[in-house]
Amino acid sequence: MSADGESEPDQPQFKLDIRSEPIHEEGLDTLSNMASTLRAQAQQIPTPRKPSANRGRRDVRNTVFVPSPQPSDFSGSGDSPFPAQGPFSTGKASSFSSEAPQGSDSHSIRSAHSATSLVQTTAKHPEMAESGLNASVVETVSAWLSSGQITKSVVIGELALSHNAPESASTARSENIRLENFPVLEKVAPNPTFITQIPSRSGEYSVNLGQISRTAVAFKYQVHLEDSNLAAHAPVIITPSWKIEPTQASVIVSYSFNSTFVSPAARSVALKNVVVVINLANNVALACQSKPVGHFSKEKSLIYWRLGDISLDSYAESPQKLLARFSTETEAQPGSVEVRWEISGEAATGLGSGLGLSRSGALKEEGSSDPFSDEGAGGSPTGVWKEVKVQRKMVSGKYVAS
């Protein structure tokens, strides 16, 4: 105690333990292990993609180029329209088809096997004989409809090139090209055989002209679609109405122009080589009556119509219709309606994604550049670009209504 009677606070007690061996510093080891773990996790985190420097551009994903199978023409006559490798084959579809078409963000744009698809979707490009660089675009539209509404849609495209060197001109080994309207793409795959991307220039590539003396696919791509415009590239609406009875199944298929289809004609569309197929889900059809008369396949429990070239417009008072009544062994299940169509020639002008192509031209004169352009951010500041004429076609992929 102190002199004034107050007790002093207790002194802290220390416990000393003297050992003959060094102490293992577990704390330091723990910190070291934690630091190693954090470094490993940091290496696994992908580096964020650098956004495009040009205003208003989307970041388009690159993917792997996969060659397409050789297309086979739809031909045949008589009672059987099924050539050995025709449009009703259940084999592979286009090498950029999709089995997961939610909006535009499918998981893969490689080939997919569809057990129910009856329509061949392999793109076929024309042979282009004009002098210089030529281009062809074929876009395949797949759509899934329910109750007359398009619920899912995928647009896959191919851009093919050919180069016919003028006899009087010196032959260049390569040329720079640019994909116009590039931000409309979701994914793009250049053909590495003769296409090389120009570093740090979005949508610009170098093409080896010596490799494209004949038409060859240069790019495959998937078009970006928002949920609000899934029907923008689908020209026709299909609505089946089924009536199922114990020994027969009747269906009325209505088809009409899609009023939300984006087209310069605004209210009409011209379709070529139209084929409509109706099938039952459980393959029990014995016979089928139809109006107009179609072609029935007992083996496949389906009926189809070759409608040829037709025009649809929004002025029609009512949809056009196909009727079929299947005789069945047992009670059937409603199947699906699949349609094949194509739009080509002048009718295809202005349709689809609007993807275009330009090639590099002469150098600009000094002082002639546009001060308001975005070229300095990611384009070619010293050259001009010349438009390449593009032949266009739109075709149906898996175009199904249920």
Side-chain angles (χ1 to χ4, degrees):
M1 274 194 187
S2 61
D4 56 3
E6 293 182 359
S7 61
E8 293 183 358
D10 295 336
Q11 297 295 323
Q13 302 295 318
F14 295 98
K15 183 179 180 180
L16 301 178
D17 188 7
I18 300 175
R19 297 182 180 181
S20 58
E21 298 179 355
I23 299 175
H24 181 66
E25 298 183 357
E26 297 180 355
L28 292 179
D29 287 346
T30 301
L31 292 176
S32 178
N33 292 337
M34 183 179 297
S36 299
T37 301
L38 291 175
R39 282 195 297 269
Q41 291 177 349
Q43 292 174 356
Q44 295 176 358
I45 299 175
T47 304
R49 288 177 291 169
K50 183 179 180 180
S52 173
N54 287 6
R55 296 184 296 273
R57 288 194 176 182
R58 294 181 58 258
D59 194 8
V60 180
R61 285 180 281 175
N62 287 319
T63 186
V64 179
F65 183 91
V66 182
S68 297
Q70 291 295 322
S72 55
D73 295 330
F74 177 63
S75 60
S77 59
D79 295 333
S80 176
F82 310 111
Q85 298 295 330
F88 299 98
S89 167
T90 57
K92 282 189 177 181
S94 171
S95 61
F96 263 51
S97 62
S98 173
E99 288 250 346
Q102 301 205 348
S104 67
D105 191 17
S106 61
H107 297 292
S108 173
I109 53 177
R110 292 173 178 267
S111 60
H113 183 280
S114 172
T116 59
S117 179
L118 301 172
V119 181
Q120 183 186 18
T121 58
T122 303
K124 186 176 182 179
H125 295 271
E127 289 297 330
M128 297 172 285
E130 292 187 15
S131 178
L133 187 63
N134 299 274
S136 166
V137 166
V138 178
E139 294 185 334
T140 301
V141 180
S142 295
W144 288 257
L145 297 92
S146 178
S147 302
Q149 300 292 322
I150 295 177
T151 58
K152 301 175 183 178
S153 182
V154 174
V155 180
I156 302 299
E158 289 187 354
L159 190 152
L161 297 175
S162 72
H163 182 261
N164 303 305
E167 295 181 359
S168 59
S170 59
T171 304
R173 290 182 176 271
S174 64
E175 187 169 19
N176 289 354
I177 58 174
R178 181 171 69 182
L179 296 179
E180 302 295 347
N181 208 17
F182 188 69
V184 302
L185 303 185
E186 179 78 25
K187 306 173 186 178
V188 62
N191 188 338
T193 305
F194 55 90
I195 298 292
T196 304
Q197 184 165 5
I198 298 177
S200 303
R201 294 186 183 177
S202 179
E204 294 187 28
Y205 303 85
S206 174
V207 54
N208 185 341
L209 300 179
Q211 297 287 329
I212 53 172
S213 57
R214 297 189 62 182
T215 302
V217 176
F219 298 92
K220 295 188 177 189
Y221 58 87
Q222 180 175 335
V223 178
H224 177 78
L225 297 177
E226 299 289 350
D227 291 341
S228 59
N229 69 339
L230 291 180
H233 303 294
V236 57
I237 294 294
I238 313 159
T239 308
S241 178
W242 290 87
K243 181 180 180 181
I244 304 298
E245 299 176 77
T247 58
Q248 70 179 22
S250 303
V251 60
I252 300 175
V253 176
S254 302
Y255 61 96
S256 58
F257 175 72
N258 174 21
S259 59
T260 59
F261 178 59
V262 177
S263 165
R267 302 186 65 176
S268 64
V269 65
L271 304 176
K272 295 182 178 181
N273 301 323
V274 178
V275 179
V276 179
V277 183
I278 304 175
N279 75 306
L280 293 180
N282 51 352
N283 298 329
V284 292
L286 302 175
C288 185
Q289 296 177 325
S290 61
K291 183 179 181 181
V293 177
H295 301 271
F296 172 64
S297 171
K298 181 179 179 180
E299 178 185 0
K300 299 180 182 294
S301 286
L302 61 80
I303 188 169
Y304 67 93
W305 292 263
R306 289 197 188 104
L307 301 183
D309 300 350
I310 65 174
S311 294
L312 300 175
D313 59 58
S314 59
Y315 300 99
E317 294 182 359
S318 59
Q320 301 186 50
K321 296 181 179 181
L322 300 171
L323 288 76
R325 176 172 291 171
F326 295 92
S327 298
T328 60
E329 292 180 342
T330 58
E331 185 171 307
Q333 297 178 6
S336 61
V337 180
E338 190 159 359
V339 179
R340 176 190 180 186
W341 51 264
E342 67 178 58
I343 308 173
S344 58
E346 293 296 327
T349 302
L351 299 183
S353 66
L355 187 72
L357 184 71
S358 296
R359 63 180 181 86
S360 59
L363 295 179
K364 293 181 180 179
E365 296 181 1
E366 292 187 8
S368 63
S369 60
D370 183 358
F372 299 101
S373 70
D374 284 330
E375 290 182 345
S380 176
T382 59
V384 296
W385 295 93
K386 295 183 179 180
E387 181 181 0
V388 176
K389 184 179 179 181
V390 176
Q391 298 186 40
R392 298 186 183 275
K393 179 189 288 188
M394 291 183 68
V395 299
S396 59
K398 187 173 181 182
Y399 205 96
V400 184
S402 59

Short mmCIF file of all heavy atoms in Angstrom, two decimals, residues 364-401:
data_model
loop_
_atom_site.label_atom_id
_atom_site.label_comp_id
_atom_site.label_asym_id
_atom_site.label_seq_id
_atom_site.Cartn_x
_atom_site.Cartn_y
_atom_site.Cartn_z
N LYS A 364 -5.25 9.64 -98.37
CA LYS A 364 -5.83 10.98 -98.33
C LYS A 364 -4.75 12.04 -98.50
O LYS A 364 -3.61 11.85 -98.11
CB LYS A 364 -6.54 11.22 -96.99
CG LYS A 364 -7.76 10.36 -96.76
CD LYS A 364 -8.36 10.70 -95.42
CE LYS A 364 -9.59 9.88 -95.12
NZ LYS A 364 -10.16 10.20 -93.81
N GLU A 365 -5.16 13.16 -99.06
CA GLU A 365 -4.26 14.30 -99.12
C GLU A 365 -4.18 14.94 -97.75
O GLU A 365 -5.13 14.93 -96.98
CB GLU A 365 -4.76 15.31 -100.15
CG GLU A 365 -4.76 14.76 -101.58
CD GLU A 365 -5.25 15.81 -102.56
OE1 GLU A 365 -5.55 16.93 -102.09
OE2 GLU A 365 -5.34 15.52 -103.75
N GLU A 366 -3.04 15.56 -97.45
CA GLU A 366 -2.87 16.19 -96.14
C GLU A 366 -3.88 17.31 -95.97
O GLU A 366 -4.14 18.10 -96.86
CB GLU A 366 -1.45 16.76 -96.01
CG GLU A 366 -0.38 15.67 -95.95
CD GLU A 366 0.97 16.27 -95.66
OE1 GLU A 366 1.02 17.48 -95.37
OE2 GLU A 366 1.97 15.54 -95.70
N GLY A 367 -4.45 17.35 -94.78
CA GLY A 367 -5.42 18.40 -94.48
C GLY A 367 -6.83 18.07 -94.92
O GLY A 367 -7.74 18.85 -94.69
N SER A 368 -7.05 16.89 -95.53
CA SER A 368 -8.37 16.56 -96.03
C SER A 368 -9.16 15.67 -95.08
O SER A 368 -10.26 15.27 -95.39
CB SER A 368 -8.26 15.84 -97.38
OG SER A 368 -7.57 14.61 -97.22
N SER A 369 -8.58 15.34 -93.94
CA SER A 369 -9.28 14.45 -93.02
C SER A 369 -10.44 15.17 -92.34
O SER A 369 -10.45 16.39 -92.19
CB SER A 369 -8.29 13.94 -91.96
OG SER A 369 -7.76 15.03 -91.24
N ASP A 370 -11.44 14.37 -91.95
CA ASP A 370 -12.62 14.89 -91.29
C ASP A 370 -12.32 15.07 -89.81
O ASP A 370 -12.06 14.10 -89.10
CB ASP A 370 -13.78 13.92 -91.49
CG ASP A 370 -15.07 14.43 -90.88
OD1 ASP A 370 -15.07 15.52 -90.27
OD2 ASP A 370 -16.10 13.73 -91.01
N PRO A 371 -12.35 16.32 -89.28
CA PRO A 371 -12.00 16.53 -87.87
C PRO A 371 -13.02 15.93 -86.92
O PRO A 371 -12.75 15.81 -85.74
CB PRO A 371 -11.95 18.07 -87.73
CG PRO A 371 -12.85 18.56 -88.82
CD PRO A 371 -12.70 17.59 -89.96
N PHE A 372 -14.23 15.58 -87.43
CA PHE A 372 -15.27 15.06 -86.55
C PHE A 372 -15.38 13.54 -86.62
O PHE A 372 -16.26 12.94 -86.02
CB PHE A 372 -16.64 15.66 -86.92
CG PHE A 372 -16.66 17.16 -86.76
CD1 PHE A 372 -16.53 17.97 -87.88
CD2 PHE A 372 -16.77 17.73 -85.52
CE1 PHE A 372 -16.53 19.36 -87.74
CE2 PHE A 372 -16.79 19.11 -85.38
CZ PHE A 372 -16.66 19.92 -86.48
N SER A 373 -14.52 12.88 -87.40
CA SER A 373 -14.61 11.42 -87.55
C SER A 373 -13.95 10.74 -86.37
O SER A 373 -13.20 11.33 -85.61
CB SER A 373 -13.93 10.97 -88.85
OG SER A 373 -12.54 11.13 -88.75
N ASP A 374 -14.24 9.43 -86.23
CA ASP A 374 -13.67 8.61 -85.16
C ASP A 374 -12.47 7.83 -85.64
O ASP A 374 -11.97 6.96 -84.94
CB ASP A 374 -14.73 7.61 -84.65
CG ASP A 374 -15.75 8.29 -83.77
OD1 ASP A 374 -15.37 9.28 -83.11
OD2 ASP A 374 -16.90 7.85 -83.75
N GLU A 375 -11.96 8.10 -86.85
CA GLU A 375 -10.91 7.27 -87.41
C GLU A 375 -9.64 7.30 -86.59
O GLU A 375 -8.93 6.33 -86.48
CB GLU A 375 -10.60 7.68 -88.85
CG GLU A 375 -11.74 7.33 -89.80
CD GLU A 375 -11.41 7.69 -91.24
OE1 GLU A 375 -10.43 8.46 -91.43
OE2 GLU A 375 -12.09 7.25 -92.15
N GLY A 376 -9.37 8.41 -85.98
CA GLY A 376 -8.13 8.52 -85.21
C GLY A 376 -8.14 7.64 -83.98
O GLY A 376 -7.10 7.29 -83.45
N ALA A 377 -9.37 7.26 -83.53
CA ALA A 377 -9.46 6.46 -82.31
C ALA A 377 -9.17 5.00 -82.55
O ALA A 377 -8.71 4.29 -81.69
CB ALA A 377 -10.84 6.61 -81.68
N GLY A 378 -9.51 4.47 -83.73
CA GLY A 378 -9.28 3.06 -83.95
C GLY A 378 -9.26 2.68 -85.40
O GLY A 378 -9.16 1.52 -85.74
N GLY A 379 -9.43 3.61 -86.29
CA GLY A 379 -9.49 3.30 -87.71
C GLY A 379 -8.16 3.57 -88.38
O GLY A 379 -7.11 3.51 -87.79
N SER A 380 -8.22 3.86 -89.69
CA SER A 380 -7.01 4.13 -90.45
C SER A 380 -6.97 5.62 -90.79
O SER A 380 -7.73 6.09 -91.63
CB SER A 380 -7.00 3.29 -91.74
OG SER A 380 -5.89 3.59 -92.52
N PRO A 381 -6.15 6.42 -90.13
CA PRO A 381 -6.19 7.86 -90.28
C PRO A 381 -5.63 8.36 -91.59
O PRO A 381 -5.81 9.52 -91.92
CB PRO A 381 -5.36 8.35 -89.08
CG PRO A 381 -4.40 7.24 -88.83
CD PRO A 381 -5.12 5.99 -89.17
N THR A 382 -4.92 7.54 -92.34
CA THR A 382 -4.26 8.05 -93.54
C THR A 382 -4.87 7.53 -94.83
O THR A 382 -4.44 7.90 -95.89
CB THR A 382 -2.77 7.65 -93.52
OG1 THR A 382 -2.67 6.22 -93.45
CG2 THR A 382 -2.08 8.28 -92.32
N GLY A 383 -5.86 6.61 -94.75
CA GLY A 383 -6.42 6.03 -95.97
C GLY A 383 -7.92 6.26 -96.06
O GLY A 383 -8.59 6.58 -95.09
N VAL A 384 -8.43 6.12 -97.27
CA VAL A 384 -9.87 6.17 -97.48
C VAL A 384 -10.35 4.75 -97.70
O VAL A 384 -9.58 3.84 -98.01
CB VAL A 384 -10.22 7.07 -98.68
CG1 VAL A 384 -9.81 8.50 -98.41
CG2 VAL A 384 -9.56 6.56 -99.96
N TRP A 385 -11.65 4.55 -97.55
CA TRP A 385 -12.24 3.23 -97.71
C TRP A 385 -13.26 3.27 -98.84
O TRP A 385 -14.06 4.20 -98.93
CB TRP A 385 -12.90 2.79 -96.40
CG TRP A 385 -11.93 2.60 -95.29
CD1 TRP A 385 -11.56 3.52 -94.36
CD2 TRP A 385 -11.17 1.42 -95.01
NE1 TRP A 385 -10.62 3.00 -93.51
CE2 TRP A 385 -10.37 1.70 -93.88
CE3 TRP A 385 -11.10 0.16 -95.59
CZ2 TRP A 385 -9.51 0.76 -93.33
CZ3 TRP A 385 -10.24 -0.78 -95.04
CH2 TRP A 385 -9.46 -0.48 -93.92
N LYS A 386 -13.22 2.26 -99.68
CA LYS A 386 -14.15 2.16 -100.80
C LYS A 386 -15.09 0.99 -100.57
O LYS A 386 -14.67 -0.11 -100.23
CB LYS A 386 -13.37 1.96 -102.10
CG LYS A 386 -12.49 3.14 -102.48
CD LYS A 386 -11.79 2.91 -103.82
CE LYS A 386 -10.93 4.10 -104.21
NZ LYS A 386 -10.25 3.90 -105.52
N GLU A 387 -16.37 1.25 -100.78
CA GLU A 387 -17.38 0.22 -100.56
C GLU A 387 -17.22 -0.92 -101.56
O GLU A 387 -16.98 -0.71 -102.74
CB GLU A 387 -18.77 0.82 -100.67
CG GLU A 387 -19.90 -0.17 -100.43
CD GLU A 387 -21.27 0.45 -100.58
OE1 GLU A 387 -21.34 1.67 -100.88
OE2 GLU A 387 -22.27 -0.27 -100.42
N VAL A 388 -17.37 -2.14 -101.05
CA VAL A 388 -17.36 -3.33 -101.90
C VAL A 388 -18.80 -3.78 -102.08
O VAL A 388 -19.55 -3.92 -101.11
CB VAL A 388 -16.53 -4.46 -101.26
CG1 VAL A 388 -16.62 -5.74 -102.10
CG2 VAL A 388 -15.08 -4.04 -101.09
N LYS A 389 -19.20 -4.00 -103.32
CA LYS A 389 -20.56 -4.44 -103.60
C LYS A 389 -20.79 -5.82 -103.00
O LYS A 389 -19.97 -6.72 -103.16
CB LYS A 389 -20.82 -4.48 -105.10
CG LYS A 389 -22.25 -4.84 -105.47
CD LYS A 389 -22.45 -4.84 -106.97
CE LYS A 389 -23.89 -5.22 -107.34
NZ LYS A 389 -24.09 -5.25 -108.81
N VAL A 390 -21.92 -5.97 -102.30
CA VAL A 390 -22.21 -7.22 -101.60
C VAL A 390 -23.50 -7.83 -102.16
O VAL A 390 -24.53 -7.16 -102.24
CB VAL A 390 -22.37 -6.98 -100.08
CG1 VAL A 390 -22.77 -8.28 -99.37
CG2 VAL A 390 -21.07 -6.44 -99.49
N GLN A 391 -23.44 -9.10 -102.55
CA GLN A 391 -24.65 -9.85 -102.89
C GLN A 391 -25.21 -10.44 -101.61
O GLN A 391 -24.49 -11.04 -100.82
CB GLN A 391 -24.32 -10.96 -103.89
CG GLN A 391 -23.78 -10.46 -105.22
CD GLN A 391 -23.61 -11.59 -106.22
OE1 GLN A 391 -24.45 -12.49 -106.30
NE2 GLN A 391 -22.53 -11.54 -106.99
N ARG A 392 -26.53 -10.29 -101.41
CA ARG A 392 -27.13 -10.70 -100.14
C ARG A 392 -28.19 -11.77 -100.34
O ARG A 392 -28.88 -11.83 -101.36
CB ARG A 392 -27.76 -9.50 -99.43
CG ARG A 392 -26.76 -8.42 -99.05
CD ARG A 392 -27.39 -7.32 -98.23
NE ARG A 392 -26.42 -6.27 -97.96
CZ ARG A 392 -25.55 -6.29 -96.95
NH1 ARG A 392 -25.57 -7.31 -96.10
NH2 ARG A 392 -24.69 -5.32 -96.78
N LYS A 393 -28.30 -12.59 -99.32
CA LYS A 393 -29.35 -13.61 -99.28
C LYS A 393 -29.71 -13.88 -97.83
O LYS A 393 -28.84 -13.89 -96.95
CB LYS A 393 -28.89 -14.90 -99.94
CG LYS A 393 -29.93 -16.02 -99.91
CD LYS A 393 -29.36 -17.35 -100.38
CE LYS A 393 -29.11 -17.35 -101.87
NZ LYS A 393 -28.73 -18.71 -102.35
N MET A 394 -30.98 -14.09 -97.56
CA MET A 394 -31.45 -14.55 -96.24
C MET A 394 -32.14 -15.89 -96.43
O MET A 394 -32.92 -16.07 -97.38
CB MET A 394 -32.43 -13.54 -95.62
CG MET A 394 -31.80 -12.23 -95.19
SD MET A 394 -33.00 -11.15 -94.37
CE MET A 394 -33.31 -12.05 -92.84
N VAL A 395 -31.85 -16.83 -95.54
CA VAL A 395 -32.46 -18.15 -95.62
C VAL A 395 -32.94 -18.54 -94.21
O VAL A 395 -32.46 -18.02 -93.20
CB VAL A 395 -31.48 -19.20 -96.16
CG1 VAL A 395 -31.04 -18.86 -97.56
CG2 VAL A 395 -30.27 -19.35 -95.24
N SER A 396 -33.87 -19.47 -94.20
CA SER A 396 -34.37 -19.97 -92.91
C SER A 396 -33.42 -21.03 -92.38
O SER A 396 -32.82 -21.80 -93.12
CB SER A 396 -35.76 -20.57 -93.08
OG SER A 396 -35.74 -21.63 -94.03
N GLY A 397 -33.28 -21.05 -91.07
CA GLY A 397 -32.58 -22.12 -90.39
C GLY A 397 -33.62 -23.06 -89.80
O GLY A 397 -34.43 -23.64 -90.53
N LYS A 398 -33.61 -23.20 -88.51
CA LYS A 398 -34.68 -23.96 -87.84
C LYS A 398 -35.80 -22.97 -87.53
O LYS A 398 -35.74 -22.21 -86.57
CB LYS A 398 -34.16 -24.62 -86.57
CG LYS A 398 -35.18 -25.55 -85.93
CD LYS A 398 -34.59 -26.31 -84.77
CE LYS A 398 -35.63 -27.25 -84.17
NZ LYS A 398 -35.10 -27.98 -83.00
N TYR A 399 -36.83 -23.01 -88.35
CA TYR A 399 -37.93 -22.04 -88.25
C TYR A 399 -39.18 -22.84 -87.91
O TYR A 399 -39.86 -23.40 -88.78
CB TYR A 399 -38.07 -21.33 -89.60
CG TYR A 399 -38.69 -19.96 -89.55
CD1 TYR A 399 -37.88 -18.82 -89.51
CD2 TYR A 399 -40.07 -19.78 -89.56
CE1 TYR A 399 -38.44 -17.56 -89.50
CE2 TYR A 399 -40.62 -18.52 -89.54
CZ TYR A 399 -39.82 -17.42 -89.50
OH TYR A 399 -40.37 -16.15 -89.49
N VAL A 400 -39.50 -22.91 -86.61
CA VAL A 400 -40.45 -23.89 -86.10
C VAL A 400 -41.54 -23.22 -85.27
O VAL A 400 -41.27 -22.32 -84.47
CB VAL A 400 -39.74 -24.95 -85.24
CG1 VAL A 400 -40.70 -26.02 -84.79
CG2 VAL A 400 -38.59 -25.58 -86.02
N ALA A 401 -42.77 -23.71 -85.47
CA ALA A 401 -43.91 -23.25 -84.66
C ALA A 401 -44.53 -24.45 -83.97
O ALA A 401 -44.61 -25.55 -84.55
CB ALA A 401 -44.94 -22.55 -85.52
#
